[in-house]
Amino acid sequence: MHWWFVVADEALKARWLEAVSGAEIVSDLAELGEEARWVLLDASLLGTGLLMPERLAELTQNRRLVLADPLHQQERGLTALASGCAGYCHAYTEPDALRQILEVVASGEVWVGRELLSRLLGGLNANLPAPSEAWREPLTEREQAVAECAAQGLVNKEIASRLDITVRTVKAHLSSVFAKLGVRDRVQLALRLRA
Amino acid sequence: MHWWFVVADEALKARWLEAVSGAEIVSDLAELGEEARWVLLDASLLGTGLLMPERLAELTQNRRLVLADPLHQQERGLTALASGCAGYCHAYTEPDALRQILEVVASGEVWVGRELLSRLLGGLNANLPAPSEAWREPLTEREQAVAECAAQGLVNKEIASRLDITVRTVKAHLSSVFAKLGVRDRVQLALRLRA
DNA sequence: CTGGACATTGTCCTGTGGTACAGGGGAGGA
DNA sequence: TCCTCCCCTGTACCACAGGACAATGTCCAG
């Protein structure tokens, strides 16, 4: 995991390096090569006051980009995330907080501060569509429970412990589930339940 | 910062303690006192299959609550977050990932996984970084090919035939993939690649 | 009362998954 | 030339997955 910092301001650079020493530093976006897969970008280097979704989408192709914005506003944050950024934060956020943000992004997640999250949750739609659960129809309650566990990646021992039954019972239910759903093993079961 | 784990399942407890040793353990919600300000709760201990927003709102008053859910579904995650939870994750998430979640929450932020975030950003024509590609980064070309096959539900024999290599070579690549991606078997690999 | 469905459990078996230890060849960079 | 990494492969081993065959108990509808 190697971070690239796109930052021109010396004070900001120092602050970021406090969070992640050893990062590669460039002061202009044009200097970013394809090898820069994990990037922290000072939004002020984007050139315009506004965040251009197309520009951000272009920049975020084939890389994880965290946008550090001196103008820390919800609208800009939403635009950044909606345009493919893997995180949005204040440019001058505390080094400890910045390190955590980069760690979260490095592990594959997307970083959202609580303000943005609150904003997003505020627009929650009550009538959310239900996920596909057609797989449940032919199964008994116990079979469903065992199937869910298996599809979540648990081994038979763990399922037995979780549901307070023996491994033999787990196998019995799984065999029945496999037959009813027409899959041959738990990998295919997991794929089926996630479809 | 002192975490309280509300968990009855021994295997789950051990897993959580791997993430945060020294946490206070209780096996029933009734045992939670007011001193428990940072709580990780096994959702199965809520008593009903459904997540009750009123109940969650009650539980999250004056405390940071992360809900660890064996039934890891977007709807339930949205309900949890909208009801005041500071985080929603899979009950059996990897200890390293769990530690990171708890660190994020401990620092005052809210934890949201990428699936939930994608849902929340849905109304904004979300263009989150492609989740299906992040797993490629640490893998060699051949490892990627083998991983894709395994994640599609193929057994080792079938993968060997398709890629024109021996079963032993398939196993070698898979073991390397498991180590690099931090998964323990091909079910978890499949889930990871589909995340 | 009977039969069927569901849930649970036993022993036994085979094949697979996954790891350990070992090794060779090719390509590319220092 | 040497070293490292990738790709490939061998034997061996153990644990697990999954199936076969068998059985019991509970509940409920007919």
Side-chain angles (χ1 to χ4, degrees):
Chain A
M1 187 65 52
H2 200 61
W3 281 97
W4 290 69
F5 291 169
V6 187
V7 56
D9 183 275
E10 288 297 320
L12 197 54
K13 187 174 84 177
R15 196 177 177 88
W16 287 6
L17 285 171
E18 199 177 326
V20 180
S21 61
E24 219 58 53
I25 308 290
V26 296
S27 56
D28 192 277
L29 272 166
E31 295 171 45
L32 269 187
E34 283 194 20
E35 73 280 15
R37 309 299 297 273
W38 308 85
V39 175
L40 177 62
L41 167 65
D42 179 358
S44 63
L45 294 184
L46 285 170
T48 74
L50 298 174
L51 295 185
M52 313 291 288
E54 301 80 9
R55 177 69 169 136
L56 288 176
E58 179 194 331
L59 286 171
T60 57
Q61 284 207 350
N62 301 323
R63 64 164 62 97
R64 296 262 180 244
L65 188 123
V66 176
L67 195 67
D69 197 358
L71 304 176
H72 195 228
Q73 294 170 359
Q74 284 190 4
E75 307 310 323
R76 291 165 66 86
L78 294 176
T79 299
L81 292 169
S83 302
C85 291
Y88 179 81
C89 63
H90 197 298
Y92 284 88
T93 197
E94 290 297 315
D96 282 347
L98 181 60
R99 181 181 308 117
Q100 185 171 72
I101 291 170
L102 299 188
E103 281 171 359
V104 164
V105 170
S107 72
E109 297 291 339
V110 174
W111 174 260
V112 185
R114 60 186 295 100
E115 280 186 17
L116 279 182
L117 185 61
S118 184
R119 172 71 178 273
L120 290 168
L121 285 170
L124 196 55
N125 189 340
N127 292 322
L128 296 167
S132 172
E133 300 211 332
W135 61 270
R136 289 187 187 272
E137 191 274 330
L139 305 183
T140 68
E141 270 192 46
R142 260 328 219 187
E143 285 170 350
Q144 290 176 41
V146 171
E148 277 168 340
C149 291
Q152 284 159 11
L154 299 175
V155 296
N156 290 344
K157 247 186 191 176
E158 291 164 344
I159 300 172
S161 170
R162 164 127 202 80
L163 301 182
D164 200 25
I165 53 181
T166 69
V167 167
R168 187 60 196 84
T169 303
V170 173
K171 292 182 177 183
H173 287 310
L174 277 182
S175 292
S176 182
V177 168
F178 294 162
K180 288 180 176 179
L181 298 187
V183 299
R184 83 179 152 188
D185 57 25
R186 72 210 304 123
V187 181
Q188 295 195 348
L189 175 65
L191 296 175
R192 172 69 65 88
L193 267 58
R194 282 300 187 96
Chain B
M1 189 65 53
H2 200 62
W3 280 96
W4 289 68
F5 292 169
V6 187
V7 56
D9 184 274
E10 289 296 319
L12 198 52
K13 184 174 85 175
R15 197 175 175 87
W16 289 3
L17 285 171
E18 198 179 326
V20 179
S21 60
E24 215 61 52
I25 308 291
V26 295
S27 57
D28 192 277
L29 273 167
E31 296 170 44
L32 268 188
E34 284 194 18
E35 73 281 15
R37 307 300 295 274
W38 309 86
V39 174
L40 177 63
L41 167 65
D42 178 359
S44 63
L45 296 184
L46 285 170
T48 73
L50 300 175
L51 295 186
M52 313 291 287
E54 301 80 9
R55 177 72 169 131
L56 289 176
E58 178 193 330
L59 286 171
T60 58
Q61 283 209 349
N62 300 324
R63 65 164 59 100
R64 294 257 182 256
L65 187 123
V66 177
L67 195 65
D69 197 0
L71 304 177
H72 196 228
Q73 292 171 0
Q74 287 188 5
E75 311 317 318
R76 292 165 66 87
L78 294 175
T79 299
L81 293 169
S83 303
C85 290
Y88 179 81
C89 63
H90 196 300
Y92 282 88
T93 199
E94 291 297 315
D96 283 347
L98 181 59
R99 182 181 306 116
Q100 185 172 72
I101 291 169
L102 300 189
E103 282 170 358
V104 165
V105 170
S107 71
E109 297 293 338
V110 174
W111 174 261
V112 187
R114 57 164 42 261
E115 280 185 18
L116 279 183
L117 186 60
S118 186
R119 276 292 292 277
L120 289 169
L121 289 166
L124 305 170
N125 297 323
N127 193 16
L128 288 178
S132 63
E133 301 303 305
W135 57 273
R136 291 184 188 274
E137 195 270 335
L139 305 184
T140 69
E141 271 192 43
R142 259 331 217 185
E143 287 169 349
Q144 290 177 37
V146 171
E148 277 171 334
C149 291
Q152 283 162 16
L154 298 172
V155 296
N156 289 344
K157 250 185 192 174
E158 291 163 343
I159 300 172
S161 176
R162 181 182 284 195
L163 299 183
D164 200 24
I165 54 182
T166 68
V167 167
R168 185 60 196 82
T169 302
V170 173
K171 291 184 178 184
H173 287 309
L174 277 182
S175 291
S176 181
V177 168
F178 295 161
K180 287 180 176 179
L181 298 187
V183 298
R184 78 177 159 187
D185 58 23
R186 71 211 303 125
V187 181
Q188 293 195 349
L189 174 64
L191 296 174
R192 171 69 66 88
L193 268 57
R194 283 298 189 96

